[in-house]
Amino acid sequence: MPTALITGGSRGIGYAIACYLASKDYDIILVAKNKERLIKAKEMLSKLYPDIDVSIYRCHFADTNCVEQLIDRLLMLYSTIDILVNSAGVLTSDFIEADGNTVENLLNTNVTSTLIMTNKVAQLMQRQQHGTIFMLSSNCAITPLPKIGLYSATKATILNYSESLFKALLPHNVKVTCLCPSVVDTDMTNDGRIANKDKIQVDDIVKAVDFVLSLSPNALLPQMTILCRPIEEELNH
């Protein structure tokens, strides 16, 4: 069976994509920081899709050494990875008042660890001459928001990196798509500012992944932006 590696895969967008890929007969590797949620995610996936293999690995993306050690271990255990989904991330509303620990945690989680993981998987995909990489950025990478200025900066880095990676891997039959949704209904955005029902739904992200994977080999989609109606209406008033 093909294999998919999903970071931040114990809940939210990552778990929803894991369920979708499991339904398509992918063996699933989940990476997340919370042990209990990982165990629950594995139990649920194994119950829903008993014919696939689900492996879980606990790793905090704020710890870049942990991430590097983990991906080296995974590349020893798995000779092929067909899909990588980078969904791990944190959100902070701190901006110019953020202290050093906040900045370091945000950069390590959203940028450094993601790049470490992706670089090593990209080298494997380059050698195997196939694969698909999904990077989770945000619309705030394109239209920065001062209320989440630091977060916007990290997501802009991911978008820029994805564009370069797309070009670098193009000759090797490896596709890269950067998903740039606005606010999605997950635990991370549950702050009461927008009703959850009015946000982009997690299933919308799954449908975007499904669309990308349904494209013919020569159809490329390096970036997909998904906007949220209430935010766009607010910005255009």
Side-chain angles (χ1 to χ4, degrees):
M1 285 187 180
T3 301
L5 168 58
I6 303 165
T7 71
S10 65
R11 62 176 178 170
I13 293 171
Y15 178 71
I17 294 174
C19 288
Y20 162 75
L21 292 174
S23 75
K24 300 297 182 181
D25 296 326
Y26 280 81
D27 286 336
I28 303 296
I29 307 167
L30 297 181
V31 176
K33 67 179 180 180
N34 187 286
K35 180 180 178 181
E36 289 72 26
R37 283 198 295 262
L38 272 171
I39 292 171
K40 183 178 179 181
K42 177 175 180 175
E43 290 174 347
M44 293 173 65
L45 280 169
S46 297
K47 183 177 180 180
L48 289 169
Y49 308 102
D51 293 332
I52 68 159
D53 181 67
V54 181
S55 302
I56 56 174
Y57 297 89
R58 182 178 179 272
C59 185
H60 198 331
F61 263 47
D63 183 348
T64 58
N65 289 328
C66 174
V67 171
E68 188 149 29
Q69 291 170 12
L70 175 62
I71 187 57
D72 286 343
R73 179 184 173 194
L74 291 177
L75 292 177
M76 291 179 65
L77 293 172
Y78 299 90
S79 59
T80 300
I81 295 175
D82 301 280
I83 292 179
L84 170 65
V85 179
N86 279 306
S87 184
V90 292
L91 171 66
T92 180
S93 58
D94 292 339
F95 188 15
I96 58 174
E97 72 279 8
D99 60 22
N101 287 335
T102 300
V103 173
E104 183 179 22
N105 180 69
L106 191 69
L107 288 172
N108 282 352
T109 304
N110 289 3
V111 178
T112 307
S113 288
T114 297
L115 268 57
I116 289 170
M117 178 79 70
T118 308
N119 280 347
K120 297 211 171 190
V121 175
Q123 291 176 58
L124 171 64
M125 290 182 172
Q126 187 179 51
R127 292 193 299 271
Q128 69 192 24
Q129 290 291 296
H130 77 270
T132 303
I133 297 174
F134 290 97
M135 306 292 295
L136 264 295
S137 182
S138 168
N139 187 55
C140 68
I142 303 165
T143 307
L145 299 175
K147 291 180 181 178
I148 50 171
L150 282 179
Y151 177 79
S152 295
T154 65
K155 291 303 181 179
T157 302
I158 292 300
L159 176 58
N160 186 281
Y161 167 85
S162 297
E163 291 173 345
S164 296
L165 190 66
F166 166 80
K167 295 174 182 177
L169 295 180
L170 189 58
H172 303 284
N173 195 36
V174 178
K175 292 186 176 184
V176 179
T177 295
C178 189
L179 301 174
C180 298
S182 185
V183 60
V184 182
D185 181 18
T186 65
D187 292 346
M188 194 166 70
T189 66
N190 193 20
D191 57 8
R193 193 169 74 88
I194 300 174
N196 289 338
K197 66 179 179 61
D198 293 331
K199 299 173 183 175
I200 298 167
Q201 297 303 299
V202 170
D203 190 52
D204 294 320
I205 309 302
V206 173
K207 289 174 181 176
V209 169
D210 176 69
F211 175 71
V212 172
L213 294 177
S214 73
L215 296 174
S216 65
N218 291 321
L220 306 173
L221 189 57
Q223 179 186 328
M224 181 182 288
T225 301
I226 307 171
L227 301 179
C228 179
R229 181 183 296 276
I231 291 181
E232 293 308 303
E233 290 178 343
E234 179 183 323
L235 291 174
N236 286 288
H237 274 321

